[in-house]
Amino acid sequence: MTENTQQTPASNPELPTQYAPAEVEGKLYERWVERGYFTADAKSDKPPYTIVIPPPNVTGALHLGHAFQVTLMDALTRRKRMQGFETLWLPGMDHAGIATQNKVEQQLAEEGKSRQDLGREAFTERVWQWKDEYGGRILGQLKRLGAGLDWSRERFTMDEGLSKAVQTIFKKLYDDELIYRAERIINWCPRCLTAISDIEVDYQDDDGELVSLKYGEGDETVVVATTRVETMLGDTAVAVHPDDERYAHLVGKRIKLPLTDRTIPVVADTHVDPEFGTGAVKVTPAHDPNDFAIGQRHDLELMTIMDERGVITVHGPFQGLDRFEARSAIVAAMREQGRVVAEKRPYVHSVGHCSRCKTTVEPRLSLQWWVKVETLAKAAGDAVRDDRVALHPKDMEKRYFDWVDNLNDWCISRQLWWGHRIPVWYGPNGEMVCVGPDDEAPTGEGWVQDEDVLDTWFSSGLWPFSTLGWPEETPDLEKFYPTDVLLTGHDIIFFWVVRMMMFGLYAMDGEVPFKTVALTGLVRDEFGKKMSKSNPNAVDPIDWMDAYGSDAVRFTLATGANPGADVPIGEDWVKASRNFANKIWNATRFALMNGATVEGELPPVEQLSATDRWILSRLNKTVAEVDAFYDDFQFAKLSDALYHFAWDEVFDWYVELSKTTFFAGGEGAKVSGRVLGEVLDVMLRVLHPIVPFVTETLWTTLTGKETLVIADWPKDSGFRDDAAEQEIALVQQVVTEVRRFRSDQGLQPGQKVPAELTLTGTPLAPHEAAIRQLLRLQPAEEGFHATASLPVAGATVALDLSGTIDVEAERKRLTKDLGAAEKEKAQAVGKLSNEAFLGKAPDNVVDKIRGRLAKAEADIERISGQLANLPQS
């Protein structure tokens, strides 16, 4: 290296010797936001690109699932912004009805109060106060992650504009007779005292009991089995299959229901499986969704036997008992009458629990508001079938169709005080009026508004267009709708994606809410287990960001993001990503110290060395590859491609191969400095969407420009040089094989060895200086004696190892190892040749011995080669 290019770390004050994420990330993010880089302009002539963030709950904190999806959305929008799109990534939060109400009720309980003590208006005011004080901390955590969201457009599902949208679409659906009120079976939480959606029910295997009970008397008896004995008090029939001859004589008759003074009919229904159990089932239409359907078909009585808290309300001795207390009491009473035919304990079965409070959910007949989904769901299915909306990966379509084609009407009412109150008023004489946002609510004596609020999914189903100003015809709605990509977990495809599809197509005159749905898997621990607060494997991503930097967390998450597949993640992987960020930092810093520059035009091809042409060819191929992966949402593959290009090809090969050129100085050093600057410029730009902080710091230092956030995305120039790539591949082959030989001989990486290189007549000749530099090979001087000769890639590398290793000691060691390997081979061959052994041994044992044989043979070949290459005595 010439004197004018060689610098010491102290002489390069622009980049510290070590990368310290904590000193960089917060300041950089504030600058990005202050300068408006993430703010979209609805008046722009640029083509739009829109993503709305799946709104996190106002009660939520950042977990790895959030960090995962946010990283991918940020990468998509950062790239599109650099590609010249008017990019809007819109942030916001969901009011999260049950979760938020529970938070405030817990606060009140600590004060010795309940929401009833405050009353509805004061309680709602208290929730707003909680939201302003404690809600939304996750948004600050998203900033910490580097999310390039347009904070000027932040929305909340309970803000004035979105509330107007909710009222507007409710009124429209009501007027179109797509919303109705009816008694149906719903999921009911006796603790939260509300209906809950399917997604708010967590199913887990519980230890229960399966009890077989005898109904009827004499010849007119049937045996039914149940895990919910207490519901027998509400039975209004026994059902059997119409073709089941065992019960043909009972169909149409009435039999005695034990413990009551009632008789119930035996009905024939094809829903019953005659092969399951006794082929007869008890029917409790008010407490089971399947039984409700049977009841509707046979006009059975709907008999509710529990109140909203799960307390029995009928049948004397059991009245006032909790449902689980009643279960034990009824089993005891039936046993006393000799009606318990069989009991199985424990009986492990799937039981639904409220996701908020973990209470066992009770199916319950209830008067609720419903959306009639038949036509809406058909439209949502058709939009995917006719390719107006693409699901990615495509194999998710079957799951989507299985759900949307069989969708039941949607219960949208919740018995809460926090949420969008149902805009329906009831009059003193049975009148019912639905009120839109521009209508006057009825007044006068006896008029009251419905007490219930809407399911949180109702308002979040409007998210892609309500956040852009609908129902008003806003510039944002005109510019940015439909949105381009919805990126979300496959676990909520049924609950959120389908609802947005139904509402978007309905409200926006058949226009889809998004063009692509990119579905991700779930984040799991490094062993593939689900992360949970109740398990010791739950991780706070903020802790990892504190320890290793946000870029390291982001890169780890992106590296595991295969479409639709779950993502394992462990701390060691985050450490490896931290090392990658440090490698980028250190190598770029070295390059800047040694002449890397973006000043001036790239030299013409004829002035470039094969090494220069090779890296530029690989650079363009990598850009093309990364673009293709982005367009296919292959984040894992693009991250892997960037990692290996940056670490392996740029830093481990190009920089190392170019050191001799830099050391020599002159015109060659200037050319390579410009090429290296070009490579770093492009490399940092394509890395930026995944690791924005370290790349921003390095790129602005390299180029002297303001920011990488709005820099141009690199394009594949089309430059390819296959000949240069083949030439450098030969260099890599020589270096790799000689390094392996050195390692086999026990030489230290930095240990210098005299060598003679015969490269004449091969493409390797121009690279002799670089090869010697990389392999620590000294020139062959007087007295050189080749003790080992390696033919490789059409060349010969002769080494003089005398004085570098104890040949005799090494020969003894290798001879001993060879003997051990040959003994291992002989033993394995002996067993595998023994027919008696093969006939008795399990397959896994035989496979293990075959593996030992293969390893022994490989060891023999390797050690024999090492012995052959040892210097002769």
Side-chain angles (χ1 to χ4, degrees), residues 648-679:
D648 299 344
E649 296 184 297
V650 178
F651 301 143
D652 279 0
W653 284 108
Y654 181 73
V655 170
E656 294 300 319
L657 286 169
S658 300
K659 278 184 177 178
T660 53
T661 305
F662 286 128
F663 291 163
E667 202 58 34
K670 290 181 181 178
V671 170
S672 290
R674 180 63 188 89
V675 170
L676 182 52
E678 181 76 9
V679 171

Side-chain angles (χ1 to χ4, degrees), residues 44 78-79 114 190 202 214 228 255 314 411 422 694 737 796 857:
S44 167
R78 283 181 183 271
R79 172 174 174 258
S114 69
D202 291 337
K214 183 169 66 176
R228 299 167 66 215
I255 61 174
V314 295
C411 176
I422 289 175
V694 68
E737 292 196 22
T796 302
E857 289 175 336

Side-chain angles (χ1 to χ4, degrees), residues 653 657 725-743 755-760 762-777 789-799:
W653 284 108
L657 286 169
E725 291 196 38
Q726 292 169 9
E727 185 172 324
I728 299 305
L730 292 176
V731 175
Q732 292 172 325
Q733 185 181 347
V734 171
V735 172
T736 301
E737 292 196 22
V738 176
R739 277 179 174 167
R740 184 182 298 118
F741 173 77
R742 288 176 54 107
S743 176
E756 190 175 73
L757 276 59
T758 306
L759 308 176
T760 307
T762 74
L764 296 167
H767 304 283
E768 179 170 352
I771 291 171
R772 286 187 176 276
Q773 169 70 20
L774 290 168
L775 292 172
R776 304 296 189 267
L777 301 180
S789 182
L790 282 74
V792 54
T796 302
V797 179
L799 304 171

Side-chain angles (χ1 to χ4, degrees), residues 72-92:
L72 304 189
M73 285 184 277
D74 195 37
L76 291 174
T77 50
R78 283 181 183 271
R79 172 174 174 258
K80 285 295 183 181
R81 192 178 292 114
M82 295 172 74
Q83 286 181 318
F85 287 78
E86 194 60 41
T87 301
L88 171 59
W89 185 22
L90 194 147

